[in-house]
Amino acid sequence: MEGIGAKRWNFGTSNELLVRSSSLGIRDYLTTLNSCLNGDDSRPVVPLGHGDPSPFPSFCTDQAAVEAICDAVRSTKFNNYSSASGVPVARKAVAEYLSRDLSYEISANDVHLTAGCFQAIEILITALATPGANILLPRPTYPMYDSRASLSHLEVRYFDLLPEIGWDVDLDAVEALADDKTVALVLINPCNPCGNVFSRQHLQKIAETAYKLGILVVADEVYDHFTFGDDKPFVSMAEFAEIVPVIVLGAISKRWFVPGWRLGWMVTLDPHSILKDYGFVQSLTNVLNVSTDPATFIQGAIPDIIGNTKEEFFSSKLEMVRKCAEICYEEITKIPCITCPCKPEGSMFTMVKLNLSLLEDISDDLDFCTKLAKEESVIILPGRAVGLMNWLRLTFAVELELLVDGLSRLKNFAQRHSKKQP
């Protein structure tokens, strides 16, 4: 028998496609930034790089949601496998929940439960990825769409969100980018990473443009109800399903502050049966049939999570996020090398632009963020992670005192690296 070291094995490192897809994700950047932290810095790390406030005491989920989970487990009614689209009572509860804000009722048959919105993206991209197809993504974007499209050999084409007009969609660019192989347009509303909320009028124009191009709209609404602008209430793209087929993605992760519970959904809104007649509903079903399910006891708890959580919980948490957004915007305006083009209106994020001409020893957005992590123990996501070089994405949904501390450290860092006046 030949030695183990001399034996040839048939497996090895990841292929280039997988490496590239992984490198597009936020986690890869956060890993890099965390590796730059100075272990001798006794100050707490300020995590302004990703949107998960759930570890902070101020953002604990509602006790009614916790009790719903416990009751579902104790009942022993949800120890079995579920169907590919989910437990019927859970699908019905989600349909009723989403219908509250619509002018019509969603059918439970159109709701497909997933292991978080993350898996909903995976399933949807897999179903869309036919040979030669392309998909239109916003820039800046949520990079999971890019990663999954890359893995599925689905070509990505980017349309810009325009900061000078509140991050609205460049609809002329959408029309110029689309061709007869374009299958869908992705819209994230409220927007991660920009923090804007699209108006009803703009959403209708997007729907009309998609109809003109013969493509469906993927409406990522995981931050639905996370709106705090004075004149921009959340309007679901579902309101425009009469114009164009819409697939709404969502989850309980953000509004209930439980991303680790991994319960999301896809909803096919197709009143004219276009998705069905063209075979796309069957394609989704085929992918669901070979996908894992969200934990059945989480599904079983959904009716009580939705039904027993009081409005006071949502309003109090939203008020905290609004205060954090206000402070973030106000403090950012005091830093000369950083510009925030729009006051945050929703989600947990804002995009700000770096003026590198005002800085010394900073070459780009990644260099800024790595040095900030090392010198100040503050984690901010470089804009390149979401598609915009020399911008930054900040989350403001952290404990208020920690946010104020982090922004103060950011200001000190910027002052220290500012070019000295002659």
Side-chain angles (χ1 to χ4, degrees), residues 308-326:
N308 296 342
T309 304
K310 304 300 184 185
E311 183 57 37
E312 290 78 9
F313 167 79
F314 299 126
S315 59
S316 65
K317 299 300 184 189
L318 187 62
E319 177 61 18
M320 282 194 294
V321 175
R322 186 195 64 77
K323 286 181 180 178
C324 289
E326 290 271 359

Side-chain angles (χ1 to χ4, degrees), residues 21-81:
S21 298
S22 175
S23 69
L24 291 170
I26 288 174
R27 289 175 176 175
D28 196 58
Y29 283 98
L30 292 177
T31 298
T32 298
L33 295 173
N34 279 294
S35 71
C36 296
L37 292 169
N38 181 358
D40 295 327
D41 190 342
S42 61
R43 297 174 296 177
V45 176
V46 183
L48 305 181
H50 70 292
D52 180 10
S54 62
F56 301 113
S58 295
F59 293 98
C60 284
T61 193
D62 191 48
Q63 189 60 31
V66 176
E67 292 172 359
I69 294 289
C70 295
D71 290 345
V73 173
R74 292 192 190 102
S75 75
T76 71
K77 295 178 180 178
F78 304 104
N79 295 337
N80 54 296
Y81 293 119

Side-chain angles (χ1 to χ4, degrees), residues 4-180:
I4 290 293
K7 170 68 177 174
R8 180 187 181 279
W9 301 93
N10 296 332
F11 50 84
T13 187
S14 299
N15 61 52
E16 290 184 9
L17 179 63
L18 189 57
V19 171
R20 179 183 180 278
S21 298
S22 175
S23 69
L24 291 170
I26 288 174
R27 289 175 176 175
D28 196 58
Y29 283 98
L30 292 177
T31 298
T32 298
L33 295 173
N34 279 294
S35 71
C36 296
L37 292 169
N38 181 358
D40 295 327
D41 190 342
S42 61
R43 297 174 296 177
V45 176
V46 183
L48 305 181
H50 70 292
D52 180 10
S54 62
F56 301 113
S58 295
F59 293 98
C60 284
T61 193
D62 191 48
Q63 189 60 31
V66 176
E67 292 172 359
I69 294 289
C70 295
D71 290 345
V73 173
R74 292 192 190 102
S75 75
T76 71
K77 295 178 180 178
F78 304 104
N79 295 337
N80 54 296
Y81 293 119
S82 74
S83 65
S85 290
V87 173
V89 292
R91 296 171 70 189
K92 180 174 183 290
V94 170
E96 292 173 349
Y97 167 70
L98 296 176
S99 297
R100 293 176 187 175
D101 300 311
L102 297 178
S103 56
Y104 62 95
E105 298 291 321
I106 292 175
S107 168
N109 293 330
D110 296 328
V111 175
H112 310 279
L113 301 182
T114 59
C117 196
F118 194 105
Q119 192 200 29
I121 295 170
E122 293 179 352
I123 291 170
L124 184 58
I125 293 295
T126 302
L128 287 169
T130 55
N134 66 77
I135 188 170
L136 306 183
L137 299 185
R139 181 172 52 206
T141 189
Y142 176 56
M144 180 48 57
Y145 288 97
D146 309 63
S147 297
R148 296 309 306 185
S150 177
L151 273 178
S152 299
H153 301 278
L154 178 62
E155 180 192 349
V156 171
R157 299 178 181 179
Y158 297 98
F159 60 88
D160 288 327
L161 303 179
L162 304 173
E164 62 271 21
I165 53 172
W167 297 108
D168 274 355
V169 172
D170 185 345
L171 291 173
D172 290 336
V174 168
E175 293 200 39
L177 288 166
D179 59 21
D180 61 356

